[in-house]
């Protein structure tokens, strides 16, 4: 597991290093679309085994997410990101998590990497719209953990704990990580 986390961090460091390469970022963004994912493969081949579909999809999703919204957070997980989006988008006086809770709950229903990858793109776009950073290294590690039922469950619990932790403090902003 430690090796997986290190590879995820190395991949994100590589993305950050090449973030100004508009051609590369355009090809990585295509990794979010199933019918055009192959355009990202030449860049992903050095990071994952392309013949392993779930692994390839995890890297394509995170690479495409970063290329769409390259604001990386050093800490946090997808639950923290969803919480920050919810707080940032809540209308005044409303339950700060309630407006986004349904979308977050849909993440928790995912049982496979393909199902999760499909929903992560929408989360990235919502974070981009609100300028909320995403911890892409943790996201990649978490997506890869969906291969095993016990790891998948632990990941979902960590996300839920981050999203539903105590009520937002007065003045808490939608800034994740």
């Amino acid at each position: 597991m430690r090796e997986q986390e290190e590879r995820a961090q190395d991949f994100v460091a590589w993305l950050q290093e090449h973030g100004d390469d508009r051609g590369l970022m355009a090809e990585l963004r295509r990794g979010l679309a199933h019918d055009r994912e192959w355009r990202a493969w030449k860049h992903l081949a050095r990071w994952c085994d392309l013949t392993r579909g779930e692994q390839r999809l995890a890297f394509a999703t995170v690479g495409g997410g970063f290329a769409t919204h390259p604001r990386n957070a050093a800490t946090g997980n997808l639950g923290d990101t969803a919480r920050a989006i919810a707080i940032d988008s809540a209308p005044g006086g409303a339950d700060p998590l309630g407006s986004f809770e349904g979308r977050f709950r849909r993440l928790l229903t995912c049982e496979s990497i393909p199902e999760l990858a499909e929903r992560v793109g929408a989360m990235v776009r919502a974070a981009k719209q609100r300028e909320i950073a995403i911890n892409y290294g943790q996201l990649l590690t978490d997506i890869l953990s969906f291969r095993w039922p016990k790891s998948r469950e632990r990941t979902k619990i960590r996300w839920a704990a981050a999203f539903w932790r105590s009520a937002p403090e007065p003045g808490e902003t939608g800034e994740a990580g």
Side-chain angles (χ1 to χ4, degrees):
M1 196 60 130
R2 187 81 203 135
E3 180 183 321
Q4 182 173 288
E5 291 170 6
E6 288 176 16
R7 187 166 42 143
Q9 293 305 323
D10 290 346
F11 179 63
V12 173
W14 177 79
L15 290 170
Q16 289 177 308
E17 183 180 321
H18 294 88
D20 292 334
D21 184 336
R22 292 173 52 170
L24 169 65
M25 293 296 120
E27 288 185 334
L28 288 175
R29 276 191 297 277
R30 289 179 178 91
L32 290 173
H34 181 67
D35 62 335
R36 294 179 297 180
E37 177 196 334
W38 63 270
R39 297 285 302 265
W41 291 351
K42 74 178 185 177
H43 307 292
L44 301 177
R46 68 183 281 199
W47 297 103
C48 67
D49 180 351
L50 293 178
T51 65
R52 295 180 64 197
E54 289 186 332
Q55 186 181 95
R56 182 187 70 239
L57 183 56
F59 278 85
T61 299
V62 170
F66 180 89
T68 299
H69 177 50
R71 191 154 178 219
N72 187 50
T75 62
N77 62 38
L78 203 53
D80 292 299
T81 300
R83 179 184 177 87
I85 293 167
I87 290 169
D88 190 68
S89 60
D95 172 12
L97 302 180
S99 64
F100 201 74
E101 191 169 326
R103 289 175 74 178
F104 178 68
R105 285 179 185 266
R106 283 189 287 281
L107 285 172
L108 297 179
T109 66
C110 294
E111 293 296 324
S112 67
I113 289 176
E115 188 179 9
L116 179 60
E118 192 175 302
R119 292 194 172 108
V120 165
M123 189 68 63
V124 168
R125 288 185 294 278
K128 178 181 180 179
Q129 182 180 21
R130 291 165 183 83
E131 286 300 315
I132 293 168
I134 297 170
N135 183 341
Y136 286 106
Q138 186 63 55
L139 179 59
L140 179 54
T141 299
D142 288 350
I143 293 172
L144 289 169
S145 79
F146 266 59
R147 291 181 285 188
W148 304 285
K150 287 183 180 180
S151 295
R152 178 174 52 241
E153 190 68 20
R154 282 192 298 271
T155 296
K156 289 179 185 185
I157 289 168
R158 283 193 305 274
W159 292 350
F163 185 79
W164 283 303
R165 67 182 183 262
S166 66
E169 297 294 322
E172 180 178 348
T173 67
E175 193 65 29

